[in-house]
Amino acid sequence: MNKDLLKLLDLSRDDITLILDTADRLKAEQKSGKKHDFPSGKTLAMIFAKNSTRTRVSFEVGIFQLGGHGIFLSNADSQLGRGEPIADTARVLSRYCDCIMIRTFEQEEVEELALHSAIPVINGLTDFEHPCQALSDLMTIREHKGRLEGLKACWIGDGNNVANSVITGCLKCGMDVSAACPEGYRPDKQVLDFASSVKDCKFELTDKPEIAAAKADVIFTDVWASMGQEGESEKRKMAFKGYQVNDTLMALANPGCMIQHCLPAHKGEEITEQIFEKHAQEIFDEAENRLHCQKAIMYVLMK
Ligand code: CP
Ligand code: NVA
């Protein structure tokens, strides 16, 4: 593993397997009340320039369960919000803490933080990727299906940060991927370049949800307007009309097809309430697994 977890594009298949296996082990230990084998007293700084429920709580609970301590730093309250350079913040936090998790807009900010940090940096979501989410999704699919290799994943909707990580992660784990995104809302070029370089599984990009959903084993979707894009909501509602996970689309998928949604969901937009509730078990397992996966990432990077 590298020093940091900045994007799934950086991880090898072995790195992903190590994190997923560690997450499974830590989950089993937690459920059985067994103490984790992790040095106590480690401190995680958590920088948030955007809202969060799952990422904040899973990292804060996760570091506590590992015997350490999490410090929440919002941009508004810290000196970052008053313009202190990210490179200086990196050097200061490196003197106090053992790891930094950051949620922000620009991927470049996370890369710069990592460059100037002596301690591991974890991307807790940028406009480019959401690696912690995709790892939790892979953990959940493996838990439900018993394997990843050979399954077909389908992405419906915006080719956003979560799409970039999910497409990359699924392909790296030997899954076929078909993504349905409207023109102008496709995944990042770096991800498409990576996807077209993959030899041992199939990647397909279409603007037709019914093509992407055909014979899928897991269907992913996410909101049509991500954090920072609220001003484009109306325009996006028009662009994504027809990109809804509903009964008609699910009927094209393989029997037992799972749904993964990173949450929060806009029911009635990217997914119907009925399909959401029918697949609530998988979706909330996915949310729970953020905790176990966050712990695994910290374990692998900090131990
Ligand atoms: N899925 C996810 O990252 O949720 P939060 O925005 O609540 O952290
Ligand atoms: N694509 C969403 C994911 C939220 C977890 C966003 O960036 O707002």
Side-chain angles (χ1 to χ4, degrees):
M1 275 288 287
N2 296 336
K3 170 176 110 22
D4 313 292
L5 173 53
L6 306 182
K7 51 188 188 292
L8 272 193
L9 279 172
D10 294 338
L11 263 56
S12 68
R13 186 172 183 164
D14 284 349
D15 292 335
I16 296 175
T17 304
L18 174 65
I19 292 169
L20 300 188
D21 289 348
T22 306
D24 286 348
R25 177 169 61 78
L26 295 176
K27 182 172 183 175
E29 287 175 6
Q30 185 67 29
K31 300 273 179 200
S32 66
K34 191 171 171 227
K35 199 178 171 302
H36 301 310
D37 162 33
F38 190 78
S40 65
K42 298 275 187 187
T43 303
L44 171 75
M46 304 184 294
I47 301 172
F48 283 92
K50 289 176 175 170
N51 293 49
S52 172
T53 298
R54 281 145 288 270
T55 305
R56 177 179 177 182
V57 177
S58 58
F59 268 106
E60 197 162 332
V61 171
I63 189 69
F64 175 76
Q65 290 182 356
L66 286 171
H69 179 67
I71 300 169
F72 175 75
L73 290 162
S74 80
N75 268 40
D77 302 331
S78 67
Q79 297 290 4
L80 276 167
R82 295 183 57 251
E84 183 165 12
I86 200 81
D88 292 354
T89 306
R91 288 180 285 181
V92 170
L93 293 179
S94 297
R95 305 285 181 117
Y96 301 135
C97 301
D98 300 289
C99 186
I100 306 171
M101 192 286 304
I102 177 167
R103 165 170 288 197
T104 190
F105 293 86
E106 302 287 325
Q107 178 71 19
E108 293 68 29
E109 194 180 336
V110 176
E111 307 269 348
E112 196 184 344
L113 182 73
L115 184 69
H116 295 281
S117 293
I119 56 178
V121 170
I122 301 168
N123 175 357
L125 181 148
T126 60
D127 293 343
F128 177 55
E129 270 219 35
H130 195 357
C132 298
Q133 182 67 53
L135 289 164
S136 310
D137 299 354
L138 291 167
M139 175 185 181
T140 312
I141 299 163
R142 203 171 72 157
E143 226 169 39
H144 279 255
K145 298 280 185 194
R147 67 190 168 105
L148 294 172
E149 192 157 352
L151 297 177
K152 178 182 170 181
C154 158
W155 179 272
I156 301 288
D158 192 13
N160 62 14
N161 44 9
V162 178
N164 287 333
S165 294
V166 161
I167 292 168
T168 305
C170 288
L171 288 170
K172 288 201 176 201
C173 290
M175 298 170 75
D176 292 336
V177 179
S178 186
C181 311
E183 185 72 45
Y185 297 96
R186 295 186 155 173
D188 191 273
K189 186 179 178 302
Q190 285 179 67
V191 170
L192 296 180
D193 287 347
F194 162 71
S196 55
S197 77
V198 173
K199 299 274 176 285
D200 47 358
C201 36
K202 287 184 240 148
F203 175 71
E204 175 180 48
L205 180 62
T206 171
D207 59 4
K208 297 196 171 40
E210 60 279 11
I211 291 181
K215 296 198 171 3
D217 298 297
V218 52
I219 294 182
F220 293 85
T221 192
D222 188 12
V223 291
W224 292 340
S226 285
M227 289 181 277
Q229 298 170 337
E230 290 80 0
E232 299 175 21
S233 285
E234 289 312 311
K235 183 178 132 203
R236 284 171 168 268
K237 272 184 197 160
M238 303 289 283
F240 291 106
K241 208 162 177 281
Y243 288 79
Q244 185 187 60
V245 180
N246 54 27
D247 275 328
T248 317
L249 205 67
M250 291 306 290
L252 303 168
N254 271 340
C257 177
M258 294 173 64
I259 302 269
Q260 292 285 270
H261 192 309
C262 61
L263 303 176
H266 286 179
K267 295 170 212 171
E269 293 186 10
E270 76 275 6
I271 189 166
T272 60
E273 172 133 33
Q274 193 200 3
I275 291 292
F276 182 94
E277 290 305 332
K278 193 168 166 199
H279 292 267
Q281 186 66 43
E282 295 141 28
I283 293 169
F284 290 102
D285 280 352
E286 175 189 14
E288 176 186 334
N289 284 340
R290 292 294 305 277
L291 170 65
H292 309 298
C293 238
Q294 256 56 284
K295 287 166 74 178
I297 293 163
M298 291 190 281
Y299 190 99
V300 166
L301 295 180
M302 292 161 77
K303 189 156 184 275

